[in-house]
Amino acid sequence: MKLTPYSEHCGMVVEDVQLAQLSDDDIAALRKVFAEHGVLFFYNQDLPPAEHLRFAQRFGTLVVNRFFQPVEGFPEIAQVRKEKTQTTNIGGAWHTDHSYDLEPALGSILVARQLPATGGNTQFANMYKAWELLPDDLKNRLEGLQAEHSSTHVYGEDGYYKSTDLGKSLNLESEVGEAVHPVVIRHPDSGKKALYVNPGITVRVLDMPPEESRALLHEVYACVDEAGVYCDFAWQPGAVAMWDNRSTWHNAKNDYQGEFRLLHRITLAGAPLQAA
Ligand code: SIN
């Protein structure tokens, strides 16, 4: 297994592996690399839906995303799909999957199925590095705080997607959720501290007036932006991205209007998060 950084602070390309043919030792090695780096990229994978599912099941327990349409015959695999005629995409803002759940998803495994000629990259951000690079004064103010995360403003009856041309292809009548998590978590596998608020899903910091909460989150996101802890993953046929939702954000770029894009996503179940 050969590892090469994708960018200075985010993402690791893993070579010399076929995800459909891993030994138990390979899976154990991959688990360590995954916990340490948070985002792994693989190229030239032969991973049809049945193999995608088998790999995910070997890696962890699955959770079914209640808002996305499943792949026919594979209820555990969600379609991340944008038609040529749709202008809105799924996940087109910085977010962390399922942070609105009481037990947020551990991670996701996304497989390229049909790509636009250009564009449609997915950006990732490293929340271990983001935490590390925050100014000390801000770190001191964040430690011990808790924040509320919600899916209501995104997937709810009056949420963002409902008013878009993607609304009809998502299961927006599914139950929305709210959850409270520590703002700084201790990653259960790596033991490292990670920043756990994100622009898409975190709605407020608890125990402070709304204006103060907004200002604090704004300050944090501005620092993350400035720290440059991102990468911009250019998909290729046969590419797979696997990310840890406890230590990353992601953002699907929507710069391929008039073209079709389809990826298949499996989400891995997580556990309640502990404060750092
Ligand atoms: C997502 O899982 O948020 C979508 C990622 C993508 O389409 O690139």
Side-chain angles (χ1 to χ4, degrees):
M1 200 178 289
K2 182 177 162 215
L3 302 178
T4 313
Y6 192 81
S7 76
E8 185 186 358
H9 291 313
C10 187
M12 200 52 88
V13 178
V14 187
E15 290 171 280
D16 301 335
V17 290
Q18 273 299 324
L19 296 174
Q21 294 166 16
L22 298 178
S23 66
D24 289 346
D25 285 350
D26 291 335
I27 293 271
L30 204 56
R31 246 183 239 291
K32 281 204 180 118
V33 173
F34 183 61
E36 191 61 26
H37 299 288
V39 192
L40 306 180
F41 302 122
F42 307 84
Y43 295 112
N44 303 315
Q45 297 297 310
D46 185 11
L47 211 61
E51 290 300 335
H52 184 188
L53 185 59
R54 199 171 70 90
F55 168 59
Q57 284 169 332
R58 290 184 74 196
F59 207 84
T61 308
L62 310 189
V63 57
V64 175
N65 182 293
R66 51 195 184 270
F67 303 112
F68 299 175
Q69 296 293 338
V71 172
E72 206 181 327
F74 295 93
E76 306 89 343
I77 307 181
Q79 298 191 57
V80 179
R81 181 183 185 107
K82 184 178 175 224
E83 306 292 343
K84 280 183 182 181
T85 51
Q86 287 173 322
T87 57
T88 310
N89 70 337
I90 291 175
W94 283 110
H95 67 285
T96 300
D97 294 337
H98 293 234
S99 71
Y100 45 77
D101 285 338
L102 294 172
E103 299 191 355
L106 179 155
S108 298
I109 304 167
L110 191 63
V111 178
R113 294 296 178 206
Q114 206 171 317
L115 300 170
T118 57
N121 288 4
T122 309
Q123 296 182 300
F124 293 91
N126 180 340
M127 289 302 112
Y128 290 141
K129 203 69 200 177
W131 170 255
E132 218 180 291
L133 295 178
L134 287 182
D136 284 342
D137 147 67
L138 185 51
K139 282 184 178 170
N140 290 338
R141 284 187 282 142
L142 294 176
E143 296 245 34
L145 294 180
Q146 298 211 303
E148 184 182 319
H149 301 241
S150 173
S151 58
T152 306
H153 63 288
V154 184
Y155 296 105
E157 271 300 297
D158 300 317
Y160 167 72
Y161 282 123
K162 184 76 178 191
S163 64
T164 71
D165 57 3
L166 204 60
K168 286 197 173 53
S169 41
L170 298 172
N171 300 320
L172 297 178
E173 69 282 3
S174 300
E175 201 188 326
V176 285
E178 270 89 39
V180 168
H181 305 294
V183 169
V184 191
I185 59 162
R186 175 81 56 194
H187 191 282
D189 302 322
S190 69
K192 296 201 282 190
K193 285 184 176 183
L195 182 65
Y196 196 77
V197 284
N198 68 86
I201 309 287
T202 309
V203 288
R204 68 182 180 109
V205 178
L206 263 50
D207 300 326
M208 60 177 64
E211 194 44 51
E212 199 181 321
S213 158
R214 263 195 297 278
L216 182 57
L217 290 173
H218 184 78
E219 184 181 351
V220 171
Y221 299 150
C223 285
V224 173
D225 192 24
E226 200 172 315
V229 293
Y230 308 107
C231 64
D232 192 330
F233 182 61
W235 289 95
Q236 299 177 9
V240 176
M242 181 173 175
W243 65 87
D244 186 324
N245 283 312
R246 289 89 49 96
S247 60
T248 61
W249 294 349
H250 60 283
N251 171 33
K253 287 168 92 175
N254 190 12
D255 54 358
Y256 55 96
Q257 298 300 347
E259 294 202 61
F260 179 73
R261 180 178 183 270
L262 175 66
L263 297 97
H264 285 178
R265 192 178 98 184
I266 296 183
T267 305
L268 300 167
L273 299 171
Q274 305 302 325

Short mmCIF file of all heavy atoms in Angstrom, two decimals, residues 170-234:
data_model
loop_
_atom_site.label_atom_id
_atom_site.label_comp_id
_atom_site.label_asym_id
_atom_site.label_seq_id
_atom_site.Cartn_x
_atom_site.Cartn_y
_atom_site.Cartn_z
N LEU A 170 -35.50 14.06 -3.96
CA LEU A 170 -35.05 13.68 -2.61
C LEU A 170 -36.26 13.32 -1.76
O LEU A 170 -37.38 13.78 -2.03
CB LEU A 170 -34.31 14.86 -1.95
CG LEU A 170 -33.03 15.32 -2.65
CD1 LEU A 170 -32.52 16.60 -2.00
CD2 LEU A 170 -31.96 14.26 -2.61
N ASN A 171 -36.06 12.49 -0.76
CA ASN A 171 -37.16 12.08 0.13
C ASN A 171 -37.31 13.12 1.24
O ASN A 171 -36.94 12.88 2.38
CB ASN A 171 -36.89 10.71 0.75
CG ASN A 171 -36.72 9.66 -0.32
OD1 ASN A 171 -37.44 9.65 -1.31
ND2 ASN A 171 -35.75 8.77 -0.12
N LEU A 172 -37.86 14.27 0.88
CA LEU A 172 -37.89 15.37 1.84
C LEU A 172 -38.96 15.22 2.92
O LEU A 172 -38.99 15.98 3.87
CB LEU A 172 -38.04 16.71 1.11
CG LEU A 172 -36.87 17.04 0.18
CD1 LEU A 172 -37.12 18.35 -0.54
CD2 LEU A 172 -35.55 17.10 0.92
N GLU A 173 -39.83 14.22 2.76
CA GLU A 173 -40.81 13.98 3.82
C GLU A 173 -40.21 13.12 4.94
O GLU A 173 -40.84 12.89 5.96
CB GLU A 173 -42.11 13.37 3.27
CG GLU A 173 -42.02 11.95 2.76
CD GLU A 173 -41.38 11.86 1.38
OE1 GLU A 173 -40.96 12.89 0.81
OE2 GLU A 173 -41.27 10.75 0.87
N SER A 174 -38.97 12.65 4.75
CA SER A 174 -38.33 11.84 5.79
C SER A 174 -38.08 12.69 7.04
O SER A 174 -37.99 13.91 6.96
CB SER A 174 -36.98 11.31 5.31
OG SER A 174 -37.17 10.53 4.18
N GLU A 175 -37.93 11.99 8.14
CA GLU A 175 -37.80 12.67 9.43
C GLU A 175 -36.52 13.51 9.49
O GLU A 175 -35.43 13.00 9.21
CB GLU A 175 -37.75 11.60 10.51
CG GLU A 175 -38.11 12.09 11.87
CD GLU A 175 -37.84 11.00 12.89
OE1 GLU A 175 -38.01 9.82 12.54
OE2 GLU A 175 -37.44 11.35 14.00
N VAL A 176 -36.66 14.77 9.86
CA VAL A 176 -35.47 15.60 10.04
C VAL A 176 -34.93 15.38 11.45
O VAL A 176 -35.59 14.77 12.28
CB VAL A 176 -35.77 17.10 9.80
CG1 VAL A 176 -35.93 17.39 8.32
CG2 VAL A 176 -36.99 17.54 10.58
N GLY A 177 -33.72 15.86 11.71
CA GLY A 177 -33.14 15.58 13.02
C GLY A 177 -32.32 16.73 13.56
O GLY A 177 -31.83 17.57 12.81
N GLU A 178 -32.22 16.77 14.87
CA GLU A 178 -31.37 17.75 15.55
C GLU A 178 -30.51 17.00 16.55
O GLU A 178 -30.97 16.01 17.12
CB GLU A 178 -32.21 18.75 16.34
CG GLU A 178 -32.62 19.99 15.59
CD GLU A 178 -33.93 19.82 14.85
OE1 GLU A 178 -34.82 19.17 15.43
OE2 GLU A 178 -34.05 20.29 13.70
N ALA A 179 -29.30 17.45 16.72
CA ALA A 179 -28.42 16.81 17.70
C ALA A 179 -27.43 17.83 18.24
O ALA A 179 -27.09 18.80 17.56
CB ALA A 179 -27.66 15.66 17.04
N VAL A 180 -26.98 17.57 19.46
CA VAL A 180 -25.97 18.44 20.08
C VAL A 180 -24.68 17.65 20.21
O VAL A 180 -24.70 16.48 20.63
CB VAL A 180 -26.47 18.92 21.47
CG1 VAL A 180 -25.35 19.58 22.26
CG2 VAL A 180 -27.65 19.88 21.30
N HIS A 181 -23.57 18.27 19.79
CA HIS A 181 -22.25 17.61 19.88
C HIS A 181 -21.22 18.60 20.40
O HIS A 181 -21.38 19.82 20.22
CB HIS A 181 -21.78 17.13 18.49
CG HIS A 181 -22.76 16.24 17.80
ND1 HIS A 181 -23.08 14.99 18.27
CD2 HIS A 181 -23.48 16.42 16.67
CE1 HIS A 181 -23.97 14.44 17.45
NE2 HIS A 181 -24.22 15.28 16.47
N PRO A 182 -20.13 18.09 20.97
CA PRO A 182 -19.05 19.00 21.40
C PRO A 182 -18.46 19.73 20.18
O PRO A 182 -18.40 19.17 19.09
CB PRO A 182 -18.00 18.04 21.98
CG PRO A 182 -18.71 16.75 22.24
CD PRO A 182 -19.84 16.67 21.28
N VAL A 183 -18.04 20.96 20.40
CA VAL A 183 -17.44 21.75 19.32
C VAL A 183 -16.04 21.22 18.99
O VAL A 183 -15.58 21.30 17.85
CB VAL A 183 -17.40 23.25 19.74
CG1 VAL A 183 -16.55 24.08 18.80
CG2 VAL A 183 -18.83 23.79 19.80
N VAL A 184 -15.38 20.69 19.99
CA VAL A 184 -14.06 20.07 19.77
C VAL A 184 -14.16 18.63 20.26
O VAL A 184 -14.47 18.40 21.43
CB VAL A 184 -12.95 20.79 20.56
CG1 VAL A 184 -11.58 20.30 20.10
CG2 VAL A 184 -13.07 22.29 20.43
N ILE A 185 -13.92 17.70 19.37
CA ILE A 185 -14.05 16.28 19.77
C ILE A 185 -12.68 15.62 19.84
O ILE A 185 -11.72 16.09 19.24
CB ILE A 185 -14.97 15.50 18.79
CG1 ILE A 185 -14.40 15.55 17.35
CG2 ILE A 185 -16.39 16.01 18.84
CD1 ILE A 185 -14.97 14.49 16.44
N ARG A 186 -12.67 14.52 20.54
CA ARG A 186 -11.49 13.64 20.57
C ARG A 186 -11.84 12.49 19.63
O ARG A 186 -12.83 11.77 19.86
CB ARG A 186 -11.27 13.15 22.01
CG ARG A 186 -10.18 12.14 22.18
CD ARG A 186 -8.81 12.72 22.25
NE ARG A 186 -8.62 13.73 23.29
CZ ARG A 186 -7.56 14.56 23.33
NH1 ARG A 186 -6.61 14.48 22.42
NH2 ARG A 186 -7.46 15.46 24.29
N HIS A 187 -11.09 12.35 18.53
CA HIS A 187 -11.44 11.31 17.56
C HIS A 187 -11.31 9.93 18.21
O HIS A 187 -10.28 9.61 18.80
CB HIS A 187 -10.51 11.40 16.34
CG HIS A 187 -10.98 10.55 15.20
ND1 HIS A 187 -10.78 9.20 15.18
CD2 HIS A 187 -11.65 10.86 14.09
CE1 HIS A 187 -11.31 8.71 14.07
NE2 HIS A 187 -11.85 9.69 13.39
N PRO A 188 -12.37 9.11 18.12
CA PRO A 188 -12.36 7.83 18.87
C PRO A 188 -11.26 6.86 18.43
O PRO A 188 -10.84 6.03 19.23
CB PRO A 188 -13.74 7.24 18.57
CG PRO A 188 -14.27 7.97 17.38
CD PRO A 188 -13.63 9.32 17.39
N ASP A 189 -10.79 6.96 17.20
CA ASP A 189 -9.77 6.00 16.73
C ASP A 189 -8.35 6.57 16.75
O ASP A 189 -7.41 5.89 17.14
CB ASP A 189 -10.11 5.51 15.31
CG ASP A 189 -11.48 4.86 15.29
OD1 ASP A 189 -11.80 4.16 16.27
OD2 ASP A 189 -12.23 5.08 14.33
N SER A 190 -8.20 7.81 16.32
CA SER A 190 -6.83 8.38 16.27
C SER A 190 -6.44 9.01 17.59
O SER A 190 -5.25 9.24 17.84
CB SER A 190 -6.74 9.44 15.16
OG SER A 190 -7.50 10.57 15.54
N GLY A 191 -7.42 9.38 18.42
CA GLY A 191 -7.13 10.07 19.69
C GLY A 191 -6.81 11.54 19.49
O GLY A 191 -6.54 12.25 20.46
N LYS A 192 -6.87 12.03 18.24
CA LYS A 192 -6.53 13.43 17.99
C LYS A 192 -7.75 14.33 18.18
O LYS A 192 -8.89 13.89 18.04
CB LYS A 192 -6.01 13.58 16.55
CG LYS A 192 -4.71 12.82 16.31
CD LYS A 192 -3.95 13.35 15.12
CE LYS A 192 -4.48 12.90 13.80
NZ LYS A 192 -3.58 13.24 12.68
N LYS A 193 -7.46 15.62 18.43
CA LYS A 193 -8.55 16.59 18.55
C LYS A 193 -8.99 17.03 17.16
O LYS A 193 -8.13 17.24 16.28
CB LYS A 193 -8.08 17.83 19.32
CG LYS A 193 -7.94 17.62 20.80
CD LYS A 193 -7.56 18.95 21.44
CE LYS A 193 -7.49 18.82 22.94
NZ LYS A 193 -7.19 20.09 23.59
N ALA A 194 -10.30 17.22 16.99
CA ALA A 194 -10.80 17.72 15.71
C ALA A 194 -11.89 18.75 15.98
O ALA A 194 -12.65 18.63 16.95
CB ALA A 194 -11.37 16.58 14.87
N LEU A 195 -11.93 19.75 15.09
CA LEU A 195 -13.00 20.74 15.17
C LEU A 195 -14.27 20.11 14.63
O LEU A 195 -14.28 19.54 13.54
CB LEU A 195 -12.58 21.93 14.28
CG LEU A 195 -13.52 23.12 14.23
CD1 LEU A 195 -13.60 23.79 15.59
CD2 LEU A 195 -13.04 24.10 13.17
N TYR A 196 -15.37 20.19 15.39
CA TYR A 196 -16.59 19.53 14.94
C TYR A 196 -17.78 20.51 14.88
O TYR A 196 -18.79 20.34 15.56
CB TYR A 196 -16.92 18.30 15.81
CG TYR A 196 -17.93 17.40 15.14
CD1 TYR A 196 -17.57 16.55 14.12
CD2 TYR A 196 -19.28 17.42 15.51
CE1 TYR A 196 -18.49 15.75 13.47
CE2 TYR A 196 -20.21 16.63 14.87
CZ TYR A 196 -19.82 15.80 13.86
OH TYR A 196 -20.74 15.00 13.21
N VAL A 197 -17.62 21.56 14.10
CA VAL A 197 -18.75 22.38 13.66
C VAL A 197 -18.57 22.55 12.17
O VAL A 197 -17.43 22.49 11.68
CB VAL A 197 -18.80 23.77 14.34
CG1 VAL A 197 -19.30 23.66 15.77
CG2 VAL A 197 -17.44 24.47 14.30
N ASN A 198 -19.65 22.70 11.42
CA ASN A 198 -19.51 22.85 9.97
C ASN A 198 -20.55 23.83 9.45
O ASN A 198 -21.66 23.94 10.00
CB ASN A 198 -19.62 21.48 9.29
CG ASN A 198 -21.00 20.89 9.37
OD1 ASN A 198 -21.86 21.17 8.54
ND2 ASN A 198 -21.25 20.07 10.40
N PRO A 199 -20.22 24.57 8.37
CA PRO A 199 -21.10 25.65 7.91
C PRO A 199 -22.49 25.19 7.46
O PRO A 199 -23.46 25.92 7.62
CB PRO A 199 -20.34 26.24 6.71
CG PRO A 199 -18.92 25.87 6.93
CD PRO A 199 -18.94 24.55 7.64
N GLY A 200 -22.61 23.97 6.92
CA GLY A 200 -23.90 23.54 6.36
C GLY A 200 -24.92 23.10 7.39
O GLY A 200 -26.13 23.32 7.21
N ILE A 201 -24.48 22.48 8.46
CA ILE A 201 -25.42 21.78 9.36
C ILE A 201 -25.44 22.36 10.78
O ILE A 201 -26.44 22.24 11.47
CB ILE A 201 -25.05 20.26 9.43
CG1 ILE A 201 -24.89 19.64 8.03
CG2 ILE A 201 -26.05 19.47 10.24
CD1 ILE A 201 -26.18 19.43 7.28
N THR A 202 -24.33 22.94 11.22
CA THR A 202 -24.31 23.48 12.60
C THR A 202 -25.14 24.76 12.64
O THR A 202 -24.91 25.68 11.84
CB THR A 202 -22.87 23.81 13.04
OG1 THR A 202 -22.06 22.66 12.80
CG2 THR A 202 -22.82 24.19 14.51
N VAL A 203 -26.12 24.81 13.55
CA VAL A 203 -27.00 25.98 13.57
C VAL A 203 -26.69 26.97 14.69
O VAL A 203 -26.96 28.15 14.57
CB VAL A 203 -28.49 25.58 13.60
CG1 VAL A 203 -28.92 25.02 12.26
CG2 VAL A 203 -28.81 24.60 14.71
N ARG A 204 -26.11 26.49 15.81
CA ARG A 204 -25.80 27.45 16.88
C ARG A 204 -24.89 26.79 17.91
O ARG A 204 -24.89 25.56 18.07
CB ARG A 204 -27.06 27.98 17.56
CG ARG A 204 -27.81 26.94 18.36
CD ARG A 204 -29.07 27.47 18.98
NE ARG A 204 -29.73 26.42 19.73
CZ ARG A 204 -29.81 26.36 21.05
NH1 ARG A 204 -29.29 27.31 21.79
NH2 ARG A 204 -30.41 25.35 21.65
N VAL A 205 -24.18 27.67 18.59
CA VAL A 205 -23.40 27.22 19.75
C VAL A 205 -24.31 27.40 20.96
O VAL A 205 -24.99 28.43 21.09
CB VAL A 205 -22.11 28.06 19.90
CG1 VAL A 205 -21.33 27.63 21.12
CG2 VAL A 205 -21.26 27.95 18.64
N LEU A 206 -24.34 26.40 21.83
CA LEU A 206 -25.25 26.44 22.98
C LEU A 206 -24.78 27.44 24.05
O LEU A 206 -23.59 27.77 24.11
CB LEU A 206 -25.32 25.06 23.62
CG LEU A 206 -26.50 24.15 23.21
CD1 LEU A 206 -26.66 24.07 21.71
CD2 LEU A 206 -26.37 22.77 23.81
N ASP A 207 -25.72 27.87 24.85
CA ASP A 207 -25.45 28.72 26.03
C ASP A 207 -24.82 30.06 25.69
O ASP A 207 -23.96 30.55 26.43
CB ASP A 207 -24.56 27.97 27.04
CG ASP A 207 -25.22 26.70 27.52
OD1 ASP A 207 -26.46 26.70 27.63
OD2 ASP A 207 -24.50 25.71 27.74
N MET A 208 -25.21 30.63 24.55
CA MET A 208 -24.81 32.01 24.26
C MET A 208 -25.89 32.66 23.40
O MET A 208 -26.63 31.94 22.70
CB MET A 208 -23.42 32.10 23.62
CG MET A 208 -23.22 31.41 22.32
SD MET A 208 -21.54 31.69 21.67
CE MET A 208 -20.48 30.93 22.88
N PRO A 209 -26.01 33.98 23.46
CA PRO A 209 -27.03 34.65 22.65
C PRO A 209 -26.80 34.38 21.16
O PRO A 209 -25.65 34.18 20.74
CB PRO A 209 -26.82 36.14 22.97
CG PRO A 209 -25.98 36.18 24.19
CD PRO A 209 -25.20 34.91 24.27
N PRO A 210 -27.90 34.37 20.36
CA PRO A 210 -27.78 34.03 18.93
C PRO A 210 -26.72 34.84 18.20
O PRO A 210 -25.95 34.30 17.39
CB PRO A 210 -29.18 34.33 18.37
CG PRO A 210 -30.09 34.28 19.54
CD PRO A 210 -29.29 34.63 20.75
N GLU A 211 -26.65 36.13 18.49
CA GLU A 211 -25.69 36.99 17.76
C GLU A 211 -24.24 36.59 18.08
O GLU A 211 -23.38 36.53 17.21
CB GLU A 211 -25.96 38.47 18.13
CG GLU A 211 -25.29 39.46 17.22
CD GLU A 211 -25.42 39.08 15.73
OE1 GLU A 211 -26.54 38.81 15.24
OE2 GLU A 211 -24.35 39.03 15.07
N GLU A 212 -24.01 36.26 19.35
CA GLU A 212 -22.66 35.84 19.77
C GLU A 212 -22.29 34.49 19.13
O GLU A 212 -21.16 34.28 18.67
CB GLU A 212 -22.64 35.73 21.29
CG GLU A 212 -21.26 35.75 21.88
CD GLU A 212 -21.31 35.61 23.40
OE1 GLU A 212 -22.23 36.18 24.03
OE2 GLU A 212 -20.46 34.90 23.94
N SER A 213 -23.27 33.59 19.07
CA SER A 213 -23.04 32.28 18.46
C SER A 213 -22.71 32.44 16.98
O SER A 213 -21.75 31.84 16.47
CB SER A 213 -24.30 31.43 18.65
OG SER A 213 -24.35 30.40 17.71
N ARG A 214 -23.50 33.27 16.28
CA ARG A 214 -23.25 33.51 14.85
C ARG A 214 -21.85 34.08 14.63
O ARG A 214 -21.11 33.64 13.75
CB ARG A 214 -24.28 34.50 14.28
CG ARG A 214 -25.45 33.81 13.59
CD ARG A 214 -26.25 34.79 12.74
NE ARG A 214 -26.86 35.85 13.52
CZ ARG A 214 -28.02 35.71 14.18
NH1 ARG A 214 -28.68 34.58 14.15
NH2 ARG A 214 -28.52 36.72 14.87
N ALA A 215 -21.49 35.04 15.47
CA ALA A 215 -20.18 35.70 15.32
C ALA A 215 -19.05 34.71 15.57
O ALA A 215 -18.03 34.70 14.86
CB ALA A 215 -20.08 36.89 16.27
N LEU A 216 -19.24 33.85 16.57
CA LEU A 216 -18.19 32.88 16.90
C LEU A 216 -18.01 31.87 15.75
O LEU A 216 -16.88 31.59 15.32
CB LEU A 216 -18.55 32.15 18.21
CG LEU A 216 -17.53 31.13 18.71
CD1 LEU A 216 -16.16 31.78 18.92
CD2 LEU A 216 -18.01 30.49 20.01
N LEU A 217 -19.12 31.35 15.24
CA LEU A 217 -19.02 30.39 14.13
C LEU A 217 -18.39 31.06 12.91
O LEU A 217 -17.55 30.46 12.22
CB LEU A 217 -20.40 29.80 13.80
CG LEU A 217 -20.98 28.85 14.86
CD1 LEU A 217 -22.41 28.46 14.52
CD2 LEU A 217 -20.12 27.60 15.00
N HIS A 218 -18.79 32.28 12.66
CA HIS A 218 -18.24 33.04 11.53
C HIS A 218 -16.71 33.18 11.69
O HIS A 218 -15.95 32.96 10.74
CB HIS A 218 -18.91 34.41 11.48
CG HIS A 218 -18.51 35.24 10.33
ND1 HIS A 218 -19.00 35.05 9.06
CD2 HIS A 218 -17.61 36.25 10.23
CE1 HIS A 218 -18.45 35.91 8.24
NE2 HIS A 218 -17.59 36.64 8.92
N GLU A 219 -16.29 33.50 12.90
CA GLU A 219 -14.85 33.67 13.17
C GLU A 219 -14.11 32.34 12.93
O GLU A 219 -13.04 32.31 12.32
CB GLU A 219 -14.68 34.14 14.62
CG GLU A 219 -13.24 34.45 15.00
CD GLU A 219 -13.13 34.90 16.47
OE1 GLU A 219 -14.18 35.12 17.13
OE2 GLU A 219 -11.99 35.01 16.96
N VAL A 220 -14.70 31.25 13.42
CA VAL A 220 -14.07 29.92 13.25
C VAL A 220 -13.95 29.59 11.76
O VAL A 220 -12.89 29.19 11.28
CB VAL A 220 -14.91 28.84 13.98
CG1 VAL A 220 -14.42 27.45 13.63
CG2 VAL A 220 -14.85 29.04 15.48
N TYR A 221 -15.04 29.77 11.00
CA TYR A 221 -15.02 29.40 9.58
C TYR A 221 -14.03 30.27 8.79
O TYR A 221 -13.38 29.78 7.87
CB TYR A 221 -16.43 29.49 8.98
CG TYR A 221 -17.45 28.58 9.64
CD1 TYR A 221 -18.80 28.91 9.70
CD2 TYR A 221 -17.06 27.38 10.22
CE1 TYR A 221 -19.73 28.08 10.32
CE2 TYR A 221 -17.98 26.55 10.86
CZ TYR A 221 -19.31 26.91 10.90
OH TYR A 221 -20.22 26.09 11.52
N ALA A 222 -13.93 31.53 9.20
CA ALA A 222 -12.97 32.42 8.52
C ALA A 222 -11.54 31.93 8.77
O ALA A 222 -10.70 31.92 7.87
CB ALA A 222 -13.14 33.86 9.00
N CYS A 223 -11.27 31.48 9.99
CA CYS A 223 -9.92 30.96 10.32
C CYS A 223 -9.65 29.67 9.54
O CYS A 223 -8.54 29.47 9.03
CB CYS A 223 -9.79 30.68 11.81
SG CYS A 223 -9.63 32.15 12.80
N VAL A 224 -10.66 28.81 9.44
CA VAL A 224 -10.47 27.55 8.69
C VAL A 224 -10.16 27.89 7.23
O VAL A 224 -9.25 27.32 6.62
CB VAL A 224 -11.73 26.65 8.79
CG1 VAL A 224 -11.60 25.44 7.89
CG2 VAL A 224 -11.97 26.22 10.23
N ASP A 225 -10.92 28.83 6.70
CA ASP A 225 -10.73 29.23 5.31
C ASP A 225 -9.30 29.72 5.10
O ASP A 225 -8.61 29.32 4.16
CB ASP A 225 -11.75 30.34 5.01
CG ASP A 225 -11.86 30.62 3.53
OD1 ASP A 225 -11.53 29.72 2.75
OD2 ASP A 225 -12.25 31.74 3.18
N GLU A 226 -8.85 30.56 6.00
CA GLU A 226 -7.52 31.15 5.88
C GLU A 226 -6.41 30.10 6.03
O GLU A 226 -5.35 30.21 5.42
CB GLU A 226 -7.38 32.23 6.95
CG GLU A 226 -6.28 33.22 6.64
CD GLU A 226 -6.34 34.36 7.64
OE1 GLU A 226 -7.47 34.85 7.89
OE2 GLU A 226 -5.30 34.72 8.18
N ALA A 227 -6.69 29.07 6.84
CA ALA A 227 -5.65 28.07 7.11
C ALA A 227 -5.34 27.20 5.89
O ALA A 227 -4.30 26.53 5.84
CB ALA A 227 -6.09 27.19 8.28
N GLY A 228 -6.23 27.19 4.91
CA GLY A 228 -5.95 26.45 3.67
C GLY A 228 -5.78 24.95 3.89
O GLY A 228 -4.86 24.34 3.34
N VAL A 229 -6.68 24.36 4.65
CA VAL A 229 -6.55 22.94 4.97
C VAL A 229 -7.35 22.07 3.99
O VAL A 229 -7.79 20.98 4.32
CB VAL A 229 -7.00 22.66 6.43
CG1 VAL A 229 -6.04 23.31 7.41
CG2 VAL A 229 -8.43 23.15 6.67
N TYR A 230 -7.53 22.59 2.78
CA TYR A 230 -8.40 21.95 1.81
C TYR A 230 -7.66 21.13 0.77
O TYR A 230 -6.48 21.34 0.53
CB TYR A 230 -9.14 23.02 0.99
CG TYR A 230 -9.84 24.03 1.82
CD1 TYR A 230 -9.34 25.33 1.92
CD2 TYR A 230 -10.98 23.69 2.50
CE1 TYR A 230 -9.99 26.26 2.69
CE2 TYR A 230 -11.63 24.62 3.27
CZ TYR A 230 -11.13 25.90 3.37
OH TYR A 230 -11.78 26.82 4.14
N CYS A 231 -8.41 20.28 0.07
CA CYS A 231 -7.96 19.76 -1.23
C CYS A 231 -9.18 19.74 -2.13
O CYS A 231 -10.32 19.83 -1.68
CB CYS A 231 -7.33 18.39 -1.10
SG CYS A 231 -8.43 17.10 -0.53
N ASP A 232 -8.90 19.63 -3.42
CA ASP A 232 -9.94 19.71 -4.44
C ASP A 232 -9.79 18.47 -5.30
O ASP A 232 -8.92 18.41 -6.17
CB ASP A 232 -9.66 21.01 -5.24
CG ASP A 232 -10.81 21.38 -6.14
OD1 ASP A 232 -11.53 20.48 -6.59
OD2 ASP A 232 -10.97 22.59 -6.38
N PHE A 233 -10.59 17.45 -5.00
CA PHE A 233 -10.37 16.13 -5.63
C PHE A 233 -11.02 16.08 -7.00
O PHE A 233 -12.24 16.23 -7.14
CB PHE A 233 -10.92 15.03 -4.73
CG PHE A 233 -10.70 13.65 -5.29
CD1 PHE A 233 -9.42 13.19 -5.52
CD2 PHE A 233 -11.77 12.84 -5.63
CE1 PHE A 233 -9.19 11.92 -6.05
CE2 PHE A 233 -11.57 11.57 -6.16
CZ PHE A 233 -10.27 11.12 -6.38
N ALA A 234 -10.20 15.82 -8.02
CA ALA A 234 -10.68 15.71 -9.40
C ALA A 234 -11.01 14.24 -9.67
O ALA A 234 -10.11 13.39 -9.68
CB ALA A 234 -9.61 16.21 -10.36
#
